[in-house]
Amino acid sequence: MELKDILIIGLGLLGWTWGIVQFFINRRNQKRDKALEKRFEIYTAFMKKADEVTQKLRTDPNAIYGISTEFMQKMLTGDEKIINDALLDFNSQLLEFTKNATQPLTILTSELNNLRLVCSDKLLPKIDRYRDLSYDYINEFQLVLGSLTKSNDLNDTIKKLETIGHDQRGIEMGQVYMEIQKMMRDEIGYYKR
């Protein structure tokens, strides 16, 4: 074999080796890009749901006042039939109010489960903390509404309902949410390009 043949065989093997290396690099990059696109889709869906939840929670902040005012007006009539009807109506309206108030957070916590599947190990503790705070909010809300049947003072219960979410937990939920949002942007790397 001549030197020329050895060089041709060497260049051929080098070319094939380089082609195989490029194939695996390209494949790895495609997998990474596909995973990044999936993360982007799930993060975007979460952000949309979070915006919807915020809108739903703000749509009728005085709904409980309307329910209780109407109830009190009927209670003051003194007619037993009207009072019984008012109690039934009040319970059904209160159940609907509870459902409408807690449903958005329940939806958001299910979206958090989707996030847990694709997020990084760094983001996972923040998502878990936000989910725990959401569950705590829902539980407190249900406890306050459950106390309606035990409490004789409707104004006290209304004051408790007003203060839900305005305590330290509400502040922490906002801070954790902002941290999650920042970490999601960092993971996607949109601003780094």
Side-chain angles (χ1 to χ4, degrees), residues 58-192:
R58 292 182 182 174
T59 52
D60 194 6
N62 296 321
I64 191 70
Y65 288 124
I67 294 170
S68 63
T69 304
E70 186 179 317
F71 172 69
M72 290 305 281
Q73 288 173 349
K74 290 179 182 178
M75 288 292 288
L76 294 175
T77 63
D79 185 11
E80 188 175 330
K81 183 180 180 340
I82 293 175
I83 291 173
N84 288 336
D85 289 342
L87 282 171
L88 291 174
D89 188 42
F90 179 72
N91 282 334
S92 66
Q93 287 180 4
L94 196 58
L95 286 173
E96 187 65 27
F97 176 75
T98 304
K99 182 180 135 192
N100 291 339
T102 58
Q103 183 182 24
L105 281 172
T106 306
I107 291 169
L108 188 63
T109 53
S110 72
E111 286 295 319
L112 287 170
N113 290 332
N114 291 340
L115 277 179
R116 293 181 86 237
L117 294 175
V118 298
C119 73
S120 68
D121 291 336
K122 215 167 90 174
L123 182 56
L124 188 60
K126 296 289 182 191
I127 291 171
D128 287 341
R129 181 66 186 143
Y130 192 79
R131 187 188 61 193
D132 292 343
L133 290 169
S134 298
Y135 284 147
D136 188 45
Y137 177 86
I138 291 169
N139 290 338
E140 182 180 353
F141 195 86
Q142 289 173 342
L143 281 173
V144 170
L145 289 177
S147 72
L148 274 177
T149 57
K150 300 172 189 165
S151 175
N152 293 332
D153 188 10
L154 189 61
N155 290 328
D156 183 47
T157 304
I158 291 172
K159 286 178 184 177
K160 287 179 184 176
L161 284 171
E162 285 177 340
T163 60
I164 292 177
H166 298 291
D167 58 354
Q168 183 60 32
R169 181 192 53 238
I171 295 167
E172 187 178 355
M173 279 180 82
Q175 290 170 345
V176 171
Y177 179 77
M178 295 304 288
E179 290 172 10
I180 288 172
Q181 199 174 21
K182 182 184 180 313
M183 291 174 84
M184 286 190 311
R185 280 198 318 261
D186 290 344
E187 281 185 19
I188 292 172
Y190 184 76
Y191 294 106
K192 293 179 183 177

Side-chain angles (χ1 to χ4, degrees), residues 15-50:
W16 276 95
T17 305
W18 181 247
I20 292 170
V21 168
Q22 285 297 314
F23 171 77
F24 285 115
I25 289 173
N26 188 30
R27 188 172 166 176
R28 185 193 70 203
N29 288 341
Q30 285 176 346
K31 284 182 179 179
R32 188 190 73 227
D33 290 346
K34 194 173 186 178
L36 190 61
E37 286 175 21
K38 190 65 178 172
R39 259 189 192 169
F40 179 77
E41 289 174 20
I42 291 176
Y43 289 177
T44 302
F46 170 74
M47 297 304 290
K48 285 180 183 177
K49 286 289 183 190

